[in-house]
PDB file of all heavy atoms in Angstrom:
ATOM      1  N   THR A   7      17.804  61.793  67.993  1.00  0.00           N
ATOM      2  CA  THR A   7      17.969  62.851  68.993  1.00  0.00           C
ATOM      3  C   THR A   7      19.066  62.530  69.990  1.00  0.00           C
ATOM      4  O   THR A   7      19.924  63.368  70.291  1.00  0.00           O
ATOM      5  CB  THR A   7      16.651  63.103  69.741  1.00  0.00           C
ATOM      6  OG1 THR A   7      15.655  63.506  68.808  1.00  0.00           O
ATOM      7  CG2 THR A   7      16.826  64.198  70.779  1.00  0.00           C
ATOM      8  N   GLN A   8      19.076  61.311  70.500  1.00  0.00           N
ATOM      9  CA  GLN A   8      20.090  60.960  71.481  1.00  0.00           C
ATOM     10  C   GLN A   8      21.473  60.904  70.845  1.00  0.00           C
ATOM     11  O   GLN A   8      22.469  61.293  71.470  1.00  0.00           O
ATOM     12  CB  GLN A   8      19.768  59.617  72.147  1.00  0.00           C
ATOM     13  CG  GLN A   8      20.740  59.261  73.267  1.00  0.00           C
ATOM     14  CD  GLN A   8      20.193  58.212  74.207  1.00  0.00           C
ATOM     15  OE1 GLN A   8      18.993  58.142  74.449  1.00  0.00           O
ATOM     16  NE2 GLN A   8      21.070  57.388  74.727  1.00  0.00           N
ATOM     17  N   VAL A   9      21.559  60.436  69.601  1.00  0.00           N
ATOM     18  CA  VAL A   9      22.854  60.373  68.930  1.00  0.00           C
ATOM     19  C   VAL A   9      23.430  61.778  68.749  1.00  0.00           C
ATOM     20  O   VAL A   9      24.638  61.991  68.883  1.00  0.00           O
ATOM     21  CB  VAL A   9      22.733  59.660  67.570  1.00  0.00           C
ATOM     22  CG1 VAL A   9      24.055  59.709  66.820  1.00  0.00           C
ATOM     23  CG2 VAL A   9      22.318  58.206  67.771  1.00  0.00           C
ATOM     24  N   ILE A  10      22.562  62.754  68.459  1.00  0.00           N
ATOM     25  CA  ILE A  10      23.020  64.138  68.295  1.00  0.00           C
ATOM     26  C   ILE A  10      23.711  64.634  69.571  1.00  0.00           C
ATOM     27  O   ILE A  10      24.656  65.420  69.508  1.00  0.00           O
ATOM     28  CB  ILE A  10      21.832  65.056  67.932  1.00  0.00           C
ATOM     29  CG1 ILE A  10      21.390  64.797  66.490  1.00  0.00           C
ATOM     30  CG2 ILE A  10      22.200  66.528  68.093  1.00  0.00           C
ATOM     31  CD1 ILE A  10      20.154  65.568  66.084  1.00  0.00           C
ATOM     32  N   LEU A  11      23.253  64.158  70.719  1.00  0.00           N
ATOM     33  CA  LEU A  11      23.829  64.613  71.983  1.00  0.00           C
ATOM     34  C   LEU A  11      25.305  64.254  72.123  1.00  0.00           C
ATOM     35  O   LEU A  11      26.022  64.849  72.935  1.00  0.00           O
ATOM     36  CB  LEU A  11      23.049  64.024  73.160  1.00  0.00           C
ATOM     37  CG  LEU A  11      21.605  64.521  73.311  1.00  0.00           C
ATOM     38  CD1 LEU A  11      20.914  63.791  74.449  1.00  0.00           C
ATOM     39  CD2 LEU A  11      21.568  66.022  73.545  1.00  0.00           C
ATOM     40  N   VAL A  12      25.778  63.294  71.314  1.00  0.00           N
ATOM     41  CA  VAL A  12      27.204  62.957  71.329  1.00  0.00           C
ATOM     42  C   VAL A  12      28.044  64.188  71.004  1.00  0.00           C
ATOM     43  O   VAL A  12      29.158  64.350  71.496  1.00  0.00           O
ATOM     44  CB  VAL A  12      27.495  61.812  70.332  1.00  0.00           C
ATOM     45  CG1 VAL A  12      28.992  61.574  70.201  1.00  0.00           C
ATOM     46  CG2 VAL A  12      26.809  60.537  70.781  1.00  0.00           C
ATOM     47  N   SER A  13      27.496  65.081  70.167  1.00  0.00           N
ATOM     48  CA  SER A  13      28.227  66.290  69.772  1.00  0.00           C
ATOM     49  C   SER A  13      28.638  67.136  70.972  1.00  0.00           C
ATOM     50  O   SER A  13      29.643  67.863  70.914  1.00  0.00           O
ATOM     51  CB  SER A  13      27.361  67.152  68.840  1.00  0.00           C
ATOM     52  OG  SER A  13      27.053  66.461  67.653  1.00  0.00           O
ATOM     53  N   TYR A  14      27.887  67.043  72.075  1.00  0.00           N
ATOM     54  CA  TYR A  14      28.173  67.863  73.251  1.00  0.00           C
ATOM     55  C   TYR A  14      29.033  67.126  74.265  1.00  0.00           C
ATOM     56  O   TYR A  14      29.549  67.744  75.200  1.00  0.00           O
ATOM     57  CB  TYR A  14      26.862  68.356  73.855  1.00  0.00           C
ATOM     58  CG  TYR A  14      26.142  69.216  72.853  1.00  0.00           C
ATOM     59  CD1 TYR A  14      25.101  68.712  72.092  1.00  0.00           C
ATOM     60  CD2 TYR A  14      26.585  70.506  72.587  1.00  0.00           C
ATOM     61  CE1 TYR A  14      24.477  69.478  71.117  1.00  0.00           C
ATOM     62  CE2 TYR A  14      25.979  71.274  71.612  1.00  0.00           C
ATOM     63  CZ  TYR A  14      24.923  70.764  70.885  1.00  0.00           C
ATOM     64  OH  TYR A  14      24.341  71.512  69.906  1.00  0.00           O
ATOM     65  N   ALA A  15      29.192  65.821  74.063  1.00  0.00           N
ATOM     66  CA  ALA A  15      30.149  65.083  74.889  1.00  0.00           C
ATOM     67  C   ALA A  15      31.533  65.105  74.253  1.00  0.00           C
ATOM     68  O   ALA A  15      32.547  65.027  74.956  1.00  0.00           O
ATOM     69  CB  ALA A  15      29.679  63.638  75.070  1.00  0.00           C
ATOM     70  N   GLU A  16      31.591  65.243  72.931  1.00  0.00           N
ATOM     71  CA  GLU A  16      32.871  65.217  72.219  1.00  0.00           C
ATOM     72  C   GLU A  16      33.857  66.284  72.704  1.00  0.00           C
ATOM     73  O   GLU A  16      35.030  65.971  72.927  1.00  0.00           O
ATOM     74  CB  GLU A  16      32.640  65.365  70.714  1.00  0.00           C
ATOM     75  CG  GLU A  16      32.022  64.141  70.077  1.00  0.00           C
ATOM     76  CD  GLU A  16      31.634  64.394  68.626  1.00  0.00           C
ATOM     77  OE1 GLU A  16      32.085  65.410  68.051  1.00  0.00           O
ATOM     78  OE2 GLU A  16      30.880  63.586  68.062  1.00  0.00           O
ATOM     79  N   PRO A  17      33.444  67.564  72.871  1.00  0.00           N
ATOM     80  CA  PRO A  17      34.421  68.557  73.334  1.00  0.00           C
ATOM     81  C   PRO A  17      34.981  68.245  74.717  1.00  0.00           C
ATOM     82  O   PRO A  17      36.164  68.495  74.975  1.00  0.00           O
ATOM     83  CB  PRO A  17      33.609  69.863  73.354  1.00  0.00           C
ATOM     84  CG  PRO A  17      32.477  69.631  72.424  1.00  0.00           C
ATOM     85  CD  PRO A  17      32.144  68.186  72.561  1.00  0.00           C
ATOM     86  N   VAL A  18      34.144  67.698  75.591  1.00  0.00           N
ATOM     87  CA  VAL A  18      34.617  67.352  76.932  1.00  0.00           C
ATOM     88  C   VAL A  18      35.684  66.267  76.838  1.00  0.00           C
ATOM     89  O   VAL A  18      36.737  66.330  77.492  1.00  0.00           O
ATOM     90  CB  VAL A  18      33.440  66.881  77.809  1.00  0.00           C
ATOM     91  CG1 VAL A  18      33.939  66.464  79.188  1.00  0.00           C
ATOM     92  CG2 VAL A  18      32.394  67.982  77.933  1.00  0.00           C
ATOM     93  N   VAL A  19      35.422  65.251  75.993  1.00  0.00           N
ATOM     94  CA  VAL A  19      36.411  64.189  75.774  1.00  0.00           C
ATOM     95  C   VAL A  19      37.678  64.775  75.165  1.00  0.00           C
ATOM     96  O   VAL A  19      38.794  64.459  75.599  1.00  0.00           O
ATOM     97  CB  VAL A  19      35.824  63.099  74.852  1.00  0.00           C
ATOM     98  CG1 VAL A  19      36.914  62.101  74.448  1.00  0.00           C
ATOM     99  CG2 VAL A  19      34.681  62.368  75.536  1.00  0.00           C
ATOM    100  N   ALA A  20      37.513  65.643  74.162  1.00  0.00           N
ATOM    101  CA  ALA A  20      38.681  66.243  73.500  1.00  0.00           C
ATOM    102  C   ALA A  20      39.526  67.038  74.491  1.00  0.00           C
ATOM    103  O   ALA A  20      40.762  66.982  74.454  1.00  0.00           O
ATOM    104  CB  ALA A  20      38.227  67.139  72.348  1.00  0.00           C
ATOM    105  N   MET A  21      38.871  67.771  75.400  1.00  0.00           N
ATOM    106  CA  MET A  21      39.608  68.538  76.408  1.00  0.00           C
ATOM    107  C   MET A  21      40.400  67.614  77.324  1.00  0.00           C
ATOM    108  O   MET A  21      41.568  67.867  77.640  1.00  0.00           O
ATOM    109  CB  MET A  21      38.634  69.382  77.228  1.00  0.00           C
ATOM    110  CG  MET A  21      37.999  70.525  76.452  1.00  0.00           C
ATOM    111  SD  MET A  21      36.692  71.349  77.424  1.00  0.00           S
ATOM    112  CE  MET A  21      35.923  72.371  76.164  1.00  0.00           C
ATOM    113  N   GLY A  22      39.766  66.527  77.756  1.00  0.00           N
ATOM    114  CA  GLY A  22      40.451  65.589  78.645  1.00  0.00           C
ATOM    115  C   GLY A  22      41.612  64.889  77.959  1.00  0.00           C
ATOM    116  O   GLY A  22      42.710  64.773  78.519  1.00  0.00           O
ATOM    117  N   VAL A  23      41.392  64.414  76.740  1.00  0.00           N
ATOM    118  CA  VAL A  23      42.453  63.716  76.005  1.00  0.00           C
ATOM    119  C   VAL A  23      43.591  64.674  75.671  1.00  0.00           C
ATOM    120  O   VAL A  23      44.772  64.309  75.731  1.00  0.00           O
ATOM    121  CB  VAL A  23      41.878  63.072  74.724  1.00  0.00           C
ATOM    122  CG1 VAL A  23      42.995  62.477  73.868  1.00  0.00           C
ATOM    123  CG2 VAL A  23      40.868  61.984  75.077  1.00  0.00           C
ATOM    124  N   SER A  24      43.250  65.910  75.317  1.00  0.00           N
ATOM    125  CA  SER A  24      44.271  66.906  75.005  1.00  0.00           C
ATOM    126  C   SER A  24      45.156  67.173  76.226  1.00  0.00           C
ATOM    127  O   SER A  24      46.377  67.331  76.094  1.00  0.00           O
ATOM    128  CB  SER A  24      43.603  68.208  74.541  1.00  0.00           C
ATOM    129  OG  SER A  24      44.549  69.171  74.177  1.00  0.00           O
ATOM    130  N   TRP A  25      44.540  67.211  77.387  1.00  0.00           N
ATOM    131  CA  TRP A  25      45.301  67.435  78.621  1.00  0.00           C
ATOM    132  C   TRP A  25      46.201  66.239  78.930  1.00  0.00           C
ATOM    133  O   TRP A  25      47.382  66.387  79.252  1.00  0.00           O
ATOM    134  CB  TRP A  25      44.336  67.688  79.774  1.00  0.00           C
ATOM    135  CG  TRP A  25      45.009  67.773  81.116  1.00  0.00           C
ATOM    136  CD1 TRP A  25      46.015  68.619  81.486  1.00  0.00           C
ATOM    137  CD2 TRP A  25      44.735  66.952  82.258  1.00  0.00           C
ATOM    138  NE1 TRP A  25      46.379  68.390  82.792  1.00  0.00           N
ATOM    139  CE2 TRP A  25      45.612  67.378  83.291  1.00  0.00           C
ATOM    140  CE3 TRP A  25      43.826  65.927  82.516  1.00  0.00           C
ATOM    141  CZ2 TRP A  25      45.602  66.783  84.551  1.00  0.00           C
ATOM    142  CZ3 TRP A  25      43.807  65.343  83.771  1.00  0.00           C
ATOM    143  CH2 TRP A  25      44.697  65.774  84.774  1.00  0.00           C
ATOM    144  N   ILE A  26      45.658  65.018  78.792  1.00  0.00           N
ATOM    145  CA  ILE A  26      46.426  63.807  79.113  1.00  0.00           C
ATOM    146  C   ILE A  26      47.549  63.582  78.099  1.00  0.00           C
ATOM    147  O   ILE A  26      48.695  63.287  78.472  1.00  0.00           O
ATOM    148  CB  ILE A  26      45.490  62.582  79.148  1.00  0.00           C
ATOM    149  CG1 ILE A  26      44.510  62.695  80.324  1.00  0.00           C
ATOM    150  CG2 ILE A  26      46.294  61.289  79.262  1.00  0.00           C
ATOM    151  CD1 ILE A  26      43.403  61.670  80.298  1.00  0.00           C
ATOM    152  N   ALA A  27      47.227  63.721  76.800  1.00  0.00           N
ATOM    153  CA  ALA A  27      48.201  63.379  75.763  1.00  0.00           C
ATOM    154  C   ALA A  27      49.184  64.494  75.457  1.00  0.00           C
ATOM    155  O   ALA A  27      50.352  64.233  75.154  1.00  0.00           O
ATOM    156  CB  ALA A  27      47.454  62.983  74.478  1.00  0.00           C
ATOM    157  N   LEU A  28      48.711  65.741  75.528  1.00  0.00           N
ATOM    158  CA  LEU A  28      49.557  66.857  75.096  1.00  0.00           C
ATOM    159  C   LEU A  28      49.860  67.860  76.191  1.00  0.00           C
ATOM    160  O   LEU A  28      50.660  68.777  75.983  1.00  0.00           O
ATOM    161  CB  LEU A  28      48.877  67.582  73.920  1.00  0.00           C
ATOM    162  CG  LEU A  28      48.522  66.717  72.701  1.00  0.00           C
ATOM    163  CD1 LEU A  28      47.765  67.553  71.675  1.00  0.00           C
ATOM    164  CD2 LEU A  28      49.773  66.111  72.087  1.00  0.00           C
ATOM    165  N   GLY A  29      49.190  67.723  77.334  1.00  0.00           N
ATOM    166  CA  GLY A  29      49.395  68.664  78.421  1.00  0.00           C
ATOM    167  C   GLY A  29      48.733  70.005  78.199  1.00  0.00           C
ATOM    168  O   GLY A  29      49.075  70.986  78.858  1.00  0.00           O
ATOM    169  N   HIS A  30      47.742  70.057  77.272  1.00  0.00           N
ATOM    170  CA  HIS A  30      47.068  71.311  76.964  1.00  0.00           C
ATOM    171  C   HIS A  30      45.834  71.471  77.847  1.00  0.00           C
ATOM    172  O   HIS A  30      45.026  70.541  77.978  1.00  0.00           O
ATOM    173  CB  HIS A  30      46.629  71.340  75.496  1.00  0.00           C
ATOM    174  CG  HIS A  30      47.778  71.362  74.542  1.00  0.00           C
ATOM    175  ND1 HIS A  30      47.632  71.183  73.189  1.00  0.00           N
ATOM    176  CD2 HIS A  30      49.111  71.558  74.751  1.00  0.00           C
ATOM    177  CE1 HIS A  30      48.810  71.249  72.607  1.00  0.00           C
ATOM    178  NE2 HIS A  30      49.722  71.466  73.530  1.00  0.00           N
ATOM    179  N   LEU A  31      45.669  72.627  78.423  1.00  0.00           N
ATOM    180  CA  LEU A  31      44.479  72.944  79.197  1.00  0.00           C
ATOM    181  C   LEU A  31      43.707  74.067  78.503  1.00  0.00           C
ATOM    182  O   LEU A  31      44.320  75.031  78.031  1.00  0.00           O
ATOM    183  CB  LEU A  31      44.852  73.395  80.617  1.00  0.00           C
ATOM    184  CG  LEU A  31      45.387  72.314  81.560  1.00  0.00           C
ATOM    185  CD1 LEU A  31      45.873  72.962  82.858  1.00  0.00           C
ATOM    186  CD2 LEU A  31      44.322  71.278  81.855  1.00  0.00           C
ATOM    187  N   VAL A  32      42.396  73.937  78.441  1.00  0.00           N
ATOM    188  CA  VAL A  32      41.592  75.008  77.860  1.00  0.00           C
ATOM    189  C   VAL A  32      41.293  76.035  78.940  1.00  0.00           C
ATOM    190  O   VAL A  32      41.300  75.730  80.137  1.00  0.00           O
ATOM    191  CB  VAL A  32      40.268  74.467  77.268  1.00  0.00           C
ATOM    192  CG1 VAL A  32      40.542  73.485  76.151  1.00  0.00           C
ATOM    193  CG2 VAL A  32      39.404  73.822  78.344  1.00  0.00           C
ATOM    194  N   ASP A  33      41.034  77.262  78.511  1.00  0.00           N
ATOM    195  CA  ASP A  33      40.744  78.300  79.498  1.00  0.00           C
ATOM    196  C   ASP A  33      39.260  78.312  79.847  1.00  0.00           C
ATOM    197  O   ASP A  33      38.446  77.605  79.250  1.00  0.00           O
ATOM    198  CB  ASP A  33      41.202  79.677  78.994  1.00  0.00           C
ATOM    199  CG  ASP A  33      40.574  80.045  77.660  1.00  0.00           C
ATOM    200  OD1 ASP A  33      39.459  79.572  77.374  1.00  0.00           O
ATOM    201  OD2 ASP A  33      41.212  80.788  76.893  1.00  0.00           O
ATOM    202  N   SER A  34      38.923  79.134  80.821  1.00  0.00           N
ATOM    203  CA  SER A  34      37.551  79.160  81.330  1.00  0.00           C
ATOM    204  C   SER A  34      36.556  79.654  80.280  1.00  0.00           C
ATOM    205  O   SER A  34      35.402  79.200  80.252  1.00  0.00           O
ATOM    206  CB  SER A  34      37.470  80.045  82.581  1.00  0.00           C
ATOM    207  OG  SER A  34      37.935  81.359  82.294  1.00  0.00           O
ATOM    208  N   LEU A  35      36.985  80.555  79.384  1.00  0.00           N
ATOM    209  CA  LEU A  35      36.064  81.061  78.365  1.00  0.00           C
ATOM    210  C   LEU A  35      35.671  79.978  77.370  1.00  0.00           C
ATOM    211  O   LEU A  35      34.559  79.986  76.850  1.00  0.00           O
ATOM    212  CB  LEU A  35      36.687  82.252  77.634  1.00  0.00           C
ATOM    213  CG  LEU A  35      36.448  83.629  78.257  1.00  0.00           C
ATOM    214  CD1 LEU A  35      37.159  84.706  77.464  1.00  0.00           C
ATOM    215  CD2 LEU A  35      34.953  83.931  78.366  1.00  0.00           C
ATOM    216  N   THR A  36      36.579  79.050  77.103  1.00  0.00           N
ATOM    217  CA  THR A  36      36.233  77.927  76.228  1.00  0.00           C
ATOM    218  C   THR A  36      35.142  77.075  76.867  1.00  0.00           C
ATOM    219  O   THR A  36      34.195  76.638  76.208  1.00  0.00           O
ATOM    220  CB  THR A  36      37.475  77.070  75.932  1.00  0.00           C
ATOM    221  OG1 THR A  36      38.450  77.869  75.270  1.00  0.00           O
ATOM    222  CG2 THR A  36      37.117  75.891  75.025  1.00  0.00           C
ATOM    223  N   LEU A  37      35.258  76.839  78.171  1.00  0.00           N
ATOM    224  CA  LEU A  37      34.229  76.085  78.891  1.00  0.00           C
ATOM    225  C   LEU A  37      32.906  76.840  78.887  1.00  0.00           C
ATOM    226  O   LEU A  37      31.835  76.245  78.696  1.00  0.00           O
ATOM    227  CB  LEU A  37      34.683  75.810  80.320  1.00  0.00           C
ATOM    228  CG  LEU A  37      35.892  74.883  80.474  1.00  0.00           C
ATOM    229  CD1 LEU A  37      36.353  74.844  81.930  1.00  0.00           C
ATOM    230  CD2 LEU A  37      35.551  73.481  79.987  1.00  0.00           C
ATOM    231  N   VAL A  38      32.969  78.150  79.080  1.00  0.00           N
ATOM    232  CA  VAL A  38      31.753  78.971  79.032  1.00  0.00           C
ATOM    233  C   VAL A  38      31.131  78.883  77.643  1.00  0.00           C
ATOM    234  O   VAL A  38      29.910  78.770  77.492  1.00  0.00           O
ATOM    235  CB  VAL A  38      32.069  80.436  79.392  1.00  0.00           C
ATOM    236  CG1 VAL A  38      30.874  81.340  79.101  1.00  0.00           C
ATOM    237  CG2 VAL A  38      32.461  80.543  80.856  1.00  0.00           C
ATOM    238  N   GLY A  39      31.964  78.924  76.619  1.00  0.00           N
ATOM    239  CA  GLY A  39      31.458  78.818  75.255  1.00  0.00           C
ATOM    240  C   GLY A  39      30.753  77.500  75.006  1.00  0.00           C
ATOM    241  O   GLY A  39      29.676  77.465  74.395  1.00  0.00           O
ATOM    242  N   LEU A  40      31.350  76.407  75.493  1.00  0.00           N
ATOM    243  CA  LEU A  40      30.725  75.091  75.320  1.00  0.00           C
ATOM    244  C   LEU A  40      29.371  75.033  76.014  1.00  0.00           C
ATOM    245  O   LEU A  40      28.392  74.539  75.441  1.00  0.00           O
ATOM    246  CB  LEU A  40      31.650  74.003  75.872  1.00  0.00           C
ATOM    247  CG  LEU A  40      31.077  72.578  75.867  1.00  0.00           C
ATOM    248  CD1 LEU A  40      30.698  72.146  74.458  1.00  0.00           C
ATOM    249  CD2 LEU A  40      32.064  71.603  76.490  1.00  0.00           C
ATOM    250  N   VAL A  41      29.297  75.530  77.239  1.00  0.00           N
ATOM    251  CA  VAL A  41      28.025  75.527  77.980  1.00  0.00           C
ATOM    252  C   VAL A  41      26.991  76.390  77.266  1.00  0.00           C
ATOM    253  O   VAL A  41      25.806  76.035  77.186  1.00  0.00           O
ATOM    254  CB  VAL A  41      28.246  76.020  79.430  1.00  0.00           C
ATOM    255  CG1 VAL A  41      26.911  76.208  80.141  1.00  0.00           C
ATOM    256  CG2 VAL A  41      29.119  75.031  80.196  1.00  0.00           C
ATOM    257  N   THR A  42      27.418  77.522  76.708  1.00  0.00           N
ATOM    258  CA  THR A  42      26.495  78.403  75.992  1.00  0.00           C
ATOM    259  C   THR A  42      25.964  77.736  74.730  1.00  0.00           C
ATOM    260  O   THR A  42      24.770  77.829  74.406  1.00  0.00           O
ATOM    261  CB  THR A  42      27.203  79.722  75.622  1.00  0.00           C
ATOM    262  OG1 THR A  42      27.761  80.305  76.803  1.00  0.00           O
ATOM    263  CG2 THR A  42      26.222  80.705  75.006  1.00  0.00           C
ATOM    264  N   ILE A  43      26.847  77.042  73.996  1.00  0.00           N
ATOM    265  CA  ILE A  43      26.412  76.312  72.796  1.00  0.00           C
ATOM    266  C   ILE A  43      25.418  75.220  73.177  1.00  0.00           C
ATOM    267  O   ILE A  43      24.386  75.036  72.514  1.00  0.00           O
ATOM    268  CB  ILE A  43      27.635  75.717  72.075  1.00  0.00           C
ATOM    269  CG1 ILE A  43      28.511  76.838  71.499  1.00  0.00           C
ATOM    270  CG2 ILE A  43      27.196  74.776  70.956  1.00  0.00           C
ATOM    271  CD1 ILE A  43      29.879  76.376  71.033  1.00  0.00           C
ATOM    272  N   LEU A  44      25.717  74.486  74.247  1.00  0.00           N
ATOM    273  CA  LEU A  44      24.797  73.447  74.717  1.00  0.00           C
ATOM    274  C   LEU A  44      23.449  74.044  75.106  1.00  0.00           C
ATOM    275  O   LEU A  44      22.390  73.486  74.797  1.00  0.00           O
ATOM    276  CB  LEU A  44      25.417  72.707  75.905  1.00  0.00           C
ATOM    277  CG  LEU A  44      24.529  71.669  76.602  1.00  0.00           C
ATOM    278  CD1 LEU A  44      24.082  70.596  75.622  1.00  0.00           C
ATOM    279  CD2 LEU A  44      25.259  71.049  77.788  1.00  0.00           C
ATOM    280  N   ALA A  45      23.476  75.213  75.767  1.00  0.00           N
ATOM    281  CA  ALA A  45      22.229  75.875  76.157  1.00  0.00           C
ATOM    282  C   ALA A  45      21.405  76.238  74.923  1.00  0.00           C
ATOM    283  O   ALA A  45      20.173  76.098  74.921  1.00  0.00           O
ATOM    284  CB  ALA A  45      22.533  77.128  76.979  1.00  0.00           C
ATOM    285  N   GLY A  46      22.078  76.689  73.874  1.00  0.00           N
ATOM    286  CA  GLY A  46      21.361  77.008  72.639  1.00  0.00           C
ATOM    287  C   GLY A  46      20.680  75.788  72.058  1.00  0.00           C
ATOM    288  O   GLY A  46      19.532  75.857  71.602  1.00  0.00           O
ATOM    289  N   PHE A  47      21.379  74.643  72.081  1.00  0.00           N
ATOM    290  CA  PHE A  47      20.777  73.405  71.583  1.00  0.00           C
ATOM    291  C   PHE A  47      19.576  72.993  72.432  1.00  0.00           C
ATOM    292  O   PHE A  47      18.546  72.557  71.906  1.00  0.00           O
ATOM    293  CB  PHE A  47      21.818  72.291  71.569  1.00  0.00           C
ATOM    294  CG  PHE A  47      21.283  70.958  71.146  1.00  0.00           C
ATOM    295  CD1 PHE A  47      21.021  70.688  69.810  1.00  0.00           C
ATOM    296  CD2 PHE A  47      21.028  69.971  72.081  1.00  0.00           C
ATOM    297  CE1 PHE A  47      20.528  69.458  69.414  1.00  0.00           C
ATOM    298  CE2 PHE A  47      20.532  68.737  71.703  1.00  0.00           C
ATOM    299  CZ  PHE A  47      20.276  68.478  70.362  1.00  0.00           C
ATOM    300  N   VAL A  48      19.705  73.117  73.747  1.00  0.00           N
ATOM    301  CA  VAL A  48      18.603  72.744  74.651  1.00  0.00           C
ATOM    302  C   VAL A  48      17.376  73.609  74.373  1.00  0.00           C
ATOM    303  O   VAL A  48      16.243  73.122  74.362  1.00  0.00           O
ATOM    304  CB  VAL A  48      19.044  72.864  76.121  1.00  0.00           C
ATOM    305  CG1 VAL A  48      17.847  72.716  77.056  1.00  0.00           C
ATOM    306  CG2 VAL A  48      20.101  71.818  76.438  1.00  0.00           C
ATOM    307  N   VAL A  49      17.578  74.904  74.137  1.00  0.00           N
ATOM    308  CA  VAL A  49      16.463  75.800  73.832  1.00  0.00           C
ATOM    309  C   VAL A  49      15.757  75.362  72.555  1.00  0.00           C
ATOM    310  O   VAL A  49      14.523  75.303  72.482  1.00  0.00           O
ATOM    311  CB  VAL A  49      16.960  77.256  73.693  1.00  0.00           C
ATOM    312  CG1 VAL A  49      15.864  78.147  73.115  1.00  0.00           C
ATOM    313  CG2 VAL A  49      17.401  77.791  75.055  1.00  0.00           C
TER     314      VAL A  49
END
């Protein structure tokens, strides 16, 4: 169960690394989508 939770930390890491390495920023809807997916898993 705890290992599965890594799946929800991965996008946050990917967003940060993408910004640092490539200068790419995700938009607010992508963040909303991630939170919504996490909420579905929590349910």
Side-chain angles (χ1 to χ4, degrees):
T7 300
Q8 185 161 328
V9 175
I10 287 175
L11 293 176
V12 173
S13 298
Y14 298 100
E16 289 172 14
V18 178
V19 171
M21 291 173 191
V23 174
S24 183
W25 173 57
I26 293 170
L28 304 176
H30 294 170
L31 289 173
V32 298
D33 57 28
S34 57
L35 272 178
T36 299
L37 294 172
V38 170
L40 175 59
V41 172
T42 306
I43 293 168
L44 175 59
F47 177 76
V48 170
V49 169

